[in-house]
Amino acid sequence: MKKTIVIVGLGLIGGSMALALQGFEEYEIVGVDVSQPTLRYAREHHVADYVCADATEVLPHADLVILALHPKGITEFFSAFRDIFRPGCVVTDVCGVKRAVADAAAVLPDTVDYIGTHPMAGTEFSGINNAFAEMFQDTHLILTPRPESTEAHVALLTRMAMYMGCKDVYRTTPEEHDRLIAYTSQLMHIIALSVCDDPQFFDCKGFEGSSFRGCTRVAALDVALWTQLLSMNAGALVEVIDHLRDNLTAYRDVLSSGDTALLAEKLTASSDRKRKLDLTGPDLLA
């Protein structure tokens, strides 16, 4: 009998996963969304093998359920549908925060294996009309399995990531995920947003280079989504913002001192750290 992957939420990430997973180990790809325009687009563009608006229609038959909703939507989905998941199925999510979602997953029955995932991919756009199958090419995918999660299910999600084009899979805890994501992702968005808040922002047209465009690209974000992501990881994010503030102050103090030798020393130290991070080496599968 053919197995089924149900993707709940056919936005940018959910829609891209549906496209990227077509043909994966002969699974049928089923998309669920409450938006009729989204469903119509999904049907017309063959985003999934089958789409519907009612999760109760397909969840009892799903072998793997991928929740591609906003964080609070995921936590509410656990509670609302906890008794409908097929025993033995794997439930995952693609949310950018993991501890709060993992805590909410505690309501799921023991017969369901919840394993958090976070594909490190996306664009500044949203919606199924911006979804594309190549979204995950050469990206990282993070797994946050629970102690009781089975290795067979972890292996399934790893194969799924490889099929979508991810270059590696990293395995960690929800707490460590949120601590690191606060630095590598959420802080970058805060920096971009802060640059856009500068009084000079609208005076810079014609003077902006690729570094400015690259820095500010992610500021054109989905406000509802990022309000939830940032607020649900506020503790870790405040800590890394404090570190950034201290680092900026250190550069400000050096510049104010007029000490060019000290400035060169500081620039060398910072750029050397960047180069060490970029050293070539084998991709890691963890």
Side-chain angles (χ1 to χ4, degrees):
M1 181 179 294
K2 202 167 193 177
K3 294 184 176 181
T4 303
I5 295 175
V6 171
I7 301 174
V8 182
L10 294 176
L12 176 68
I13 299 299
S16 294
M17 291 189 79
L19 290 166
L21 286 172
Q22 291 183 11
F24 172 63
E25 297 185 1
E26 298 186 348
Y27 278 87
E28 180 182 41
I29 308 300
V30 176
V32 178
D33 204 286
V34 296
S35 166
Q36 288 302 318
T38 295
L39 292 177
R40 183 166 55 251
Y41 183 97
R43 290 190 188 98
E44 291 173 353
H45 293 83
H46 309 290
V47 172
D49 297 310
Y50 175 73
V51 297
C52 67
D54 186 2
T56 62
E57 178 184 336
V58 294
L59 286 182
H61 314 291
D63 298 282
L64 170 61
V65 179
I66 301 172
L67 301 179
L69 304 168
H70 284 193
K72 289 184 179 178
I74 293 170
T75 61
E76 291 168 357
F77 196 93
F78 288 149
S79 297
F81 296 95
R82 64 179 305 277
D83 297 321
I84 302 177
F85 293 106
R86 186 184 69 78
C89 79
V90 185
V91 177
T92 189
D93 71 283
V94 295
C95 182
V97 291
K98 293 269 81 83
R99 186 175 63 177
V101 174
D103 289 346
V107 303
L108 295 175
D110 294 340
T111 55
V112 172
D113 193 358
Y114 166 75
I115 301 174
T117 63
H118 183 190
M120 298 300 296
T123 73
E124 65 271 37
F125 306 107
S126 62
I128 193 170
N129 55 309
N130 291 302
F132 58 102
E134 298 77 21
M135 169 78 74
F136 310 100
Q137 290 293 323
D138 295 323
T139 63
H140 309 296
L141 184 125
I142 303 171
L143 290 181
T144 58
R146 296 186 292 183
E148 61 269 31
S149 295
T150 71
E151 287 302 318
H153 290 160
V154 171
L156 169 63
L157 293 176
T158 300
R159 295 196 308 273
M160 181 189 79
M162 296 297 102
Y163 186 85
M164 293 193 303
C166 297
K167 67 178 180 180
D168 48 36
V169 173
Y170 286 88
R171 185 169 173 173
T172 188
T173 64
E175 293 77 14
E176 183 69 359
H177 167 277
D178 287 0
R179 184 184 72 81
L180 291 171
I181 287 301
Y183 175 62
T184 64
S185 175
Q186 294 175 347
L187 180 65
M188 301 305 110
H189 286 76
I190 292 293
I191 291 171
L193 293 162
S194 299
V195 170
C196 293
D197 288 343
D198 193 277
Q200 299 183 79
F201 185 69
F202 292 107
D203 298 330
C204 73
K205 191 169 181 61
F207 293 84
E208 76 278 17
S210 60
S211 59
F212 183 87
R213 292 191 294 272
C215 173
T216 57
R217 178 183 64 82
V218 296
L221 45 70
D222 181 331
V223 173
L225 170 61
W226 280 91
T227 297
Q228 293 183 27
L229 289 172
L230 299 180
S231 62
M232 292 172 77
N233 200 27
L237 183 55
V238 167
E239 185 174 339
V240 296
I241 289 174
D242 286 344
H243 292 163
L244 175 64
R245 180 190 59 198
D246 293 343
N247 293 335
L248 288 172
T249 299
Y251 265 104
R252 182 187 183 282
D253 291 345
V254 170
L255 289 166
S256 297
S257 73
D259 189 334
T260 55
L262 184 57
L263 175 61
E265 180 182 329
K266 190 160 180 56
L267 290 170
T268 299
S270 300
S271 61
D272 282 350
R273 287 173 63 84
K274 168 60 178 172
R275 291 189 181 94
K276 286 179 181 178
L277 183 66
D278 286 349
L279 287 176
T280 58
D283 288 338
L284 299 177
L285 184 64

